[in-house]
Amino acid sequence: MARVVVDVMLKPEILDPQGRAVQGALGRLGLDGVTDVRQGKHFVIDIDGDLEGERHDLMHRLADELLSNPVIESYEMRVLADGEEAS
Amino acid sequence: MARVVVDVMLKPEILDPQGRAVQGALGRLGLDGVTDVRQGKHFVIDIDGDLEGERHDLMHRLADELLSNPVIESYEMRVLADGEEAS
């Protein structure tokens, strides 16, 4: 079994109002010195068998086109070893 | 500067309809053998100075109470070393 983790974030040049709201709230709740917050999506995907070759390429393409909006978002994908933590 | 990454996921016993929809879409788009998908939130937080002692405890509390809904979600938080990748 393979576990794939995909993190999808708005590109740096895209304004992130959710992140900005969290930044303000962290400050109001007493955490000083927060200079930036970005909020994105986190996917944990479990797949039977190995993720190699064409299946690996397909997973990358789907992370780019299904899980992300490539116009405004970028993604990072990693395949975890058996037993490795998901985050 | 400290960079904090917080991943917030629905607890395992909570139904995740977004993850279920992604699981269906991955299969329809040709990726066989997907047994589970969970979708959560991914926060990247930049903070001036070190995150130690009371500030570290406060960040944990805010991850639990502000970034998550502790009734239905759990979080994992890690502080990255300088220059380490965010995801």
Side-chain angles (χ1 to χ4, degrees):
Chain A
M1 197 199 81
R3 171 162 283 187
V4 182
V5 175
V6 180
D7 292 318
V8 175
M9 302 297 285
L10 286 167
K11 292 181 178 177
E13 65 271 22
I14 307 290
L15 188 69
D16 180 355
Q18 287 182 303
R20 196 56 60 90
V22 170
Q23 182 177 350
L26 289 170
R28 285 193 299 279
L29 293 169
L31 189 70
D32 298 329
V34 179
T35 56
D36 192 36
V37 177
R38 306 288 288 179
Q39 178 172 345
K41 292 178 284 185
H42 181 74
F43 296 92
V44 179
I45 300 163
D46 290 332
I47 302 180
D48 269 338
D50 290 331
L51 192 70
E52 292 178 341
E54 281 185 17
R55 289 182 91 207
H56 188 266
D57 296 344
L58 177 58
M59 184 67 245
H60 259 293
R61 194 160 62 74
L62 294 174
D64 186 47
E65 296 176 3
L66 174 70
L67 304 183
S68 318
N69 174 351
V71 177
I72 58 169
E73 294 173 323
S74 59
Y75 74 96
E76 292 190 25
M77 175 180 131
R78 55 196 192 284
V79 181
L80 302 189
D82 276 350
E84 197 178 342
E85 284 284 317
S87 82
Chain B
M1 197 198 82
R3 171 162 284 186
V4 182
V5 174
V6 180
D7 292 318
V8 175
M9 302 297 285
L10 287 167
K11 292 181 179 177
E13 66 270 24
I14 306 290
L15 188 68
D16 180 354
Q18 288 182 301
R20 196 56 60 90
V22 170
Q23 182 177 350
L26 288 170
R28 285 193 299 280
L29 293 169
L31 189 70
D32 297 329
V34 178
T35 56
D36 192 36
V37 177
R38 305 288 289 179
Q39 177 172 347
K41 291 178 284 185
H42 181 74
F43 297 92
V44 179
I45 301 163
D46 290 332
I47 302 181
D48 270 338
D50 290 332
L51 193 70
E52 292 179 341
E54 282 186 17
R55 289 182 92 208
H56 188 267
D57 296 344
L58 177 58
M59 183 68 244
H60 259 294
R61 194 159 61 75
L62 294 174
D64 186 47
E65 297 176 3
L66 174 69
L67 304 183
S68 318
N69 174 350
V71 177
I72 57 168
E73 294 172 324
S74 59
Y75 74 96
E76 291 191 26
M77 174 178 132
R78 56 198 193 283
V79 182
L80 302 189
D82 277 350
E84 196 179 342
E85 285 284 317
S87 83

